[in-house]
Amino acid sequence: MPSEDRKKNRVTLLDVARHAGVSRATASLVIRKSPLVGAETRTRVEEAMRELGYVYNMGAARLRAERSHTVGVIVPNLTNPFFAELLSGIEAVVDSAGMVVIVANSGDSVERQDRLMRRMREHGVDGVILCAAAGTGPGFLHQLTEHSLPLVQVLRHISDDIDYAGVDYAGGMRQAVDHLASLGHRAIAFAVHGPVHSAYRERVEGFRDAMRSCGLNPDMIVRLPNQIREIAAAAHLLFDGAKQPTAVVCFNDVIALGLAAGLYDRGLRVGENFSLVGFDDVTDAEAMRPRLTSVFTAPVAIGENAARLLLDRLTDPSCQPRRVVKEPQLHIRQSCGPVAAPVS
């Protein structure tokens, strides 16, 4: 059998754990002959090993024994509340595994990301969860794996050869557009900001596809500044085109909060004569009045998924790359209403 086929068919400790109906941690304790495991459970795991033909990799075990019990996390923007929620999910899972998290902010700079990754390696982290800076190429990620540094992509997808945890952005856009269309809105804008990366492209294309499916013009895409205060002052950009929107879907809740202020300053009443939909549904969005309709992307759960993928990779470095993609859910509140008279 070719080496590639053998690799694909290799039985992992996770396979053994599932077959025996125990956790991966329990199966690992059996392997290490820990006295913490009961006789019945030990027998069940050992039978699963025999049935599946599991072979314990002593070399990998020695490498695992030299771990630092630290996990590096690099995100592009620590001021965005979404990333605070993502990190809380990562930390919960990593902490339960007896490890700690080292967090760094790339500022969405590839050069800074390179420096941070070097520092992570110098400090001997066991693995890294990376929300890649815009402009990161596959070569950067593959170089890390060649250096035997376990890696998980989160939110932004660069390579199919590396574990990824994210969300179905297109599905979230479809829910947002369908809801507005059901209320009678025909002129729907999409407000975006920030650098272009995979999540940006997926949201933009998801919006366009959803608009086309409803028979609507998909080209009302308006680019806004990054800061909430600047977004509020730039709300007029929504109405500078020939077609006046009656609703807007926002790239994230930061834009939605900024536009809510800007629309108020223009004399518009969100939820009455103009509809507003956010994206991510972070906790801070609850402070807005009227309450914000937003696509919930479950950042805490995404963080948990990313951390579990990394722990699985640390347990079995040879397992095949996996994708764990959350389904979003539109949370309907007060910021959307039936289409009103055209905005003047």
Side-chain angles (χ1 to χ4, degrees):
M1 179 184 292
S3 60
E4 282 296 315
D5 291 339
R6 285 199 300 271
K7 187 174 181 180
K8 288 179 182 177
N9 295 325
R10 186 175 298 160
V11 177
T12 69
L13 187 59
L14 186 58
D15 295 328
V16 171
R18 288 171 174 165
H19 192 74
V22 300
S23 69
R24 186 185 66 257
T26 298
S28 178
L29 289 173
V30 172
I31 290 288
R32 289 181 277 140
K33 303 188 183 303
S34 169
L36 299 175
V37 182
E40 181 182 346
T41 300
R42 181 182 303 279
T43 299
R44 194 161 71 249
V45 171
E46 290 174 345
E47 287 178 353
M49 291 167 59
R50 285 193 295 272
E51 290 174 10
L52 297 177
Y54 175 75
V55 177
Y56 185 45
N57 189 330
M58 292 295 293
R62 282 193 294 272
L63 288 175
R64 288 193 291 272
E66 298 172 0
R67 289 179 185 169
S68 65
H69 300 288
T70 59
V71 169
V73 180
I74 301 178
V75 296
N77 184 3
L78 281 173
T79 65
N80 187 328
F82 178 91
F83 288 106
E85 295 188 27
L86 177 85
L87 287 168
S88 72
I90 293 173
E91 287 183 318
V93 173
V94 170
D95 180 70
S96 68
M99 306 171 75
V100 296
V101 172
I102 299 175
V103 180
N105 182 12
S106 73
D108 241 329
S109 163
V110 171
E111 292 75 17
R112 178 171 171 76
Q113 178 178 267
D114 288 346
R115 293 195 300 272
L116 290 171
M117 195 62 78
R118 284 198 299 272
R119 296 293 181 268
M120 293 286 183
R121 292 178 58 204
E122 289 168 1
H123 283 83
V125 297
D126 294 330
V128 172
I129 297 172
L130 174 68
C131 182
T136 302
F140 172 76
L141 304 187
H142 293 152
Q143 183 180 33
L144 296 175
T145 57
E146 287 172 3
H147 288 145
S148 300
L149 182 65
L151 180 70
V152 172
Q153 308 167 94
V154 65
L155 299 172
R156 301 178 182 178
H157 179 264
I158 309 295
S159 171
D160 290 335
D161 298 327
I162 297 171
D163 295 317
Y164 170 73
V167 64
D168 180 7
Y169 296 113
M173 282 295 163
R174 185 168 56 252
Q175 292 178 47
V177 170
D178 286 352
H179 177 60
L180 290 172
S182 74
L183 294 173
H185 294 279
R186 311 301 294 168
I188 304 170
F190 182 33
V192 303
H193 70 177
V196 176
H197 42 69
S198 68
Y200 181 103
R201 289 189 292 269
E202 288 171 30
R203 293 189 196 202
V204 169
E205 289 308 310
F207 171 78
R208 285 179 168 149
D209 289 344
M211 292 289 284
R212 291 189 192 103
S213 295
C214 292
L216 305 178
N217 176 12
D219 298 326
M220 296 181 69
I221 298 177
V222 180
R223 188 164 183 83
L224 297 174
N226 290 332
Q227 302 302 318
I228 289 182
R229 181 177 299 177
E230 296 172 347
I231 293 169
H236 66 90
L237 295 175
L238 289 175
F239 310 102
D240 285 353
K243 184 73 171 178
Q244 302 290 287
T246 60
V248 60
V249 179
C250 300
F251 182 83
N252 55 29
D253 288 343
V254 172
I255 289 182
L257 292 170
L259 280 181
L263 293 167
Y264 175 85
D265 291 342
R266 289 179 62 88
L268 293 171
R269 298 183 303 279
V270 169
E272 295 183 30
N273 58 8
F274 198 87
S275 290
L276 181 68
V277 179
F279 206 101
D280 288 335
D281 200 29
V282 296
T283 304
D284 286 3
E286 177 60 26
M288 180 180 147
R289 294 295 183 274
R291 287 182 169 84
L292 181 64
T293 292
S294 185
V295 177
F296 179 58
T297 56
V300 174
I302 295 172
E304 292 170 345
N305 289 339
R308 292 189 188 104
L309 283 173
L310 185 59
L311 294 180
D312 288 347
R313 177 65 53 187
L314 292 172
T315 299
D316 185 2
S318 66
C319 65
Q320 291 298 300
R322 291 186 291 159
R323 284 176 59 91
V324 181
V325 178
K326 284 284 297 178
E327 288 299 320
Q329 178 64 52
L330 179 67
H331 286 174
I332 299 171
R333 300 190 182 95
Q334 301 166 325
S335 65
C336 295
V339 65
V343 178
S344 59

